[in-house]
Amino acid sequence: QVQMVESGGGLVQPGGSLRLSCAAPGSIFNSNDMGWYRQAPGKERELVAVISSGGSTNFVGSVKGRFIISRDNGKNMVHLQMNSLKPEDTAVYYCNAVPWIRRLWGQGTQVTVSS
């Protein structure tokens, strides 16, 4: 595996929830902080959630209190639990190391929040 593999996106109504998952190469997962990024149409990609190798987390203000990031060290996976979703959360979501590593960008997973 040379890229991240994201899954779990979909169409959800405002106020709903989704759980995204990302499988990472072990060599990257074990030695880096990991993060979820998103890119909305016409906007730059932004980092929305970070989890350190020690489990400390941080979030961009717009998702704080609604999103939870976690990591499964046994499976080299990173998850993003997204609650109380809003239309402005609509984007393609990607995971990568923090700071990102160009060669690791995967296809992402589309999240659409709409009624």
Side-chain angles (χ1 to χ4, degrees), residues 13-18 65-67 82-87 89 113:
Q13 292 186 344
S17 298
L18 282 174
R66 300 187 297 121
F67 289 11
M82 305 187 296
N83 302 317
S84 303
L85 283 162
K86 304 176 180 180
D89 295 318
V113 185

Side-chain angles (χ1 to χ4, degrees), residues 23-96:
S27 60
I28 299 299
F29 184 89
N30 293 328
S31 57
N32 287 276
D33 295 348
M34 300 298 297
W36 281 94
Y37 302 74
R38 69 184 180 188
Q39 187 167 20
K43 295 187 177 180
E44 293 187 354
R45 194 170 298 183
E46 67 169 339
L47 177 63
V48 297
V50 182
I51 186 165
S52 73
S53 55
S56 300
T57 61
N58 205 357
F59 302 89
V60 69
S62 59
V63 308
K64 197 170 292 185
R66 300 187 297 121
F67 289 11
I68 300 169
I69 187 171
S70 61
R71 58 193 296 160
D72 184 336
N73 292 333
K75 296 182 179 180
N76 298 338
M77 295 194 71
V78 185
H79 303 285
L80 186 68
Q81 177 68 41
M82 305 187 296
N83 302 317
S84 303
L85 283 162
K86 304 176 180 180
E88 51 264 43
D89 295 318
T90 295
V92 179
Y93 284 72
Y94 305 85
C95 67
N96 205 318

